[in-house]
Amino acid sequence: MLVKIKTGANLSGAEQEFVECLRSYPTTGVALVGLEVGENGSRRVDAVILTPRGITVIDIKGFQRRQSGILNIPGDGPWTISAEPADLDEEISGNPVDQLEHSVHAVKTRLERALVDPGHICGAVVLMPFRGVAVRPARTNLRPGMDIIVANVRDATELRIYLEGFSAGPRSWTADRVVATCAALGATEKPFRAELLADGFDEVQPKAPSLSAREMRQHAIPAPLPPSRRQTAAGWAVFAVALVGMVVVLIVITSSLAHDSAHPAREPDTSTTSVTPSPPPYHPIECWPLQQNC
């Protein structure tokens, strides 16, 4: 990995250890160490690392003495190692995660003002303990897109894994884009284009790889297998049962129609069997003079 240090930068012991780690990596990338960004260079950024897949801002923290144990990172409050305050090499005012977030914002703003597309910028706090001291963070993710890593020259595996995988995007950072980014960040020591190409950066952004014939065959939907004898017999049995059922239904319908035609429906009988009553026999009544009802 290429490492470019700002001219006249005064590096701490932890930053020098970090630079030594980066120079031993065969990974493609360039690290700008000791940058000054923000309004008129008001914010110092420990390091900005660019790889073919992305950009990340690094905040480096060292220790004043040998401390080992589990690093506890509360949301608000001092960091502790095995219930003791973390004795970092510089006095920190506020939360180190907030400082990293401000640095990421300053780098992004600087690039946007220079009309350079920064894309998604990640960030990481890198702790550089004394050699031979084991420090393990209780959690590695601080906030979305921000991680914490513990490394030194003897044990820099976690840092190397982070730099090779912090961004899962395509190889969109070409040599020309890296040169423009370094100029926009005000790096006094900038990598040359030929130097970046020799380190592994692409000259032009590669196209998305198309599927090969073999991969297309692997992704093709396989043809259905021919039915077994048992499946074939079961299918014929279901067909025979359905056919018999249809024949039975037709026989029932035919017999019902034949019965209706042989016995036509009779017309309803409108005559009545009731007898009309005859009037009572007439008996003359003899009427006398002045007799009522006569």
Side-chain angles (χ1 to χ4, degrees), residues 17-279:
E17 184 95 357
F18 179 75
V19 169
E20 191 174 347
C21 288
L22 296 182
R23 285 176 173 168
S24 64
Y25 291 169
T27 306
T28 300
V30 56
L32 307 177
V33 180
L35 290 177
E36 293 180 356
V37 297
E39 295 293 337
N40 301 320
S42 58
R43 173 170 291 277
R44 185 183 187 276
V45 176
D46 293 340
V48 174
I49 299 178
L50 298 100
T51 68
R53 297 184 183 277
I55 177 173
T56 183
V57 176
I58 303 296
D59 192 5
I60 305 169
K61 303 295 182 184
F63 291 84
Q64 295 185 10
R65 59 186 177 90
R66 300 175 68 89
Q67 282 186 291
S68 61
I70 302 299
L71 174 65
N72 186 27
I73 307 170
D76 187 12
W79 293 7
T80 60
I81 297 179
S82 298
E84 294 184 1
D87 196 2
L88 302 178
D89 59 356
E90 61 180 34
E91 185 177 353
I92 300 176
S93 58
N95 194 327
V97 185
D98 293 336
Q99 296 183 0
L100 174 62
E101 196 169 39
H102 293 329
S103 298
V104 171
H105 178 72
V107 171
K108 183 177 182 179
T109 303
R110 183 74 173 265
L111 294 178
E112 289 176 346
R113 289 181 177 178
L115 302 181
V116 176
D117 181 15
H120 176 68
I121 301 180
C122 298
V125 175
V126 179
L127 297 180
M128 309 294 294
F130 283 79
R131 298 185 183 184
V133 174
V135 176
R136 289 292 177 264
R139 58 187 177 95
T140 58
N141 183 259
L142 302 174
R143 291 176 186 172
M146 296 185 181
D147 301 303
I148 183 166
I149 307 161
V150 179
N152 52 40
V153 173
R154 292 185 179 180
D155 186 12
T157 304
E158 294 181 9
L159 178 59
R160 180 175 179 177
I161 293 174
Y162 172 80
L163 295 178
E164 293 178 352
F166 72 88
S167 179
R171 293 175 62 94
S172 58
W173 289 85
T174 61
D176 293 331
R177 187 178 179 185
V178 172
V179 170
T181 301
C182 294
L185 293 176
T188 56
E189 294 292 332
K190 296 183 287 291
F192 296 101
R193 185 174 185 273
E195 193 177 11
L196 294 171
L197 294 175
D199 190 58
F201 282 93
D202 299 316
E203 186 173 3
V204 295
Q205 184 174 351
K207 297 180 180 179
S210 58
L211 293 177
S212 62
R214 181 178 180 181
E215 291 174 336
M216 291 180 64
R217 288 195 299 268
Q218 292 176 351
H219 288 81
I221 300 176
L225 297 176
S228 62
R229 293 182 179 180
R230 185 175 181 180
Q231 292 174 340
T232 303
W236 279 111
V238 172
F239 176 75
V241 172
L243 184 60
V244 171
M246 292 178 62
V247 172
V248 171
V249 171
L250 289 176
I251 292 175
V252 172
I253 294 175
T254 304
S255 62
S256 177
L257 292 176
H259 183 272
D260 291 342
S261 61
H263 300 81
R266 296 181 179 181
E267 294 182 358
D269 188 4
T270 57
S271 61
T272 179
T273 57
S274 61
V275 179
T276 303
S278 58

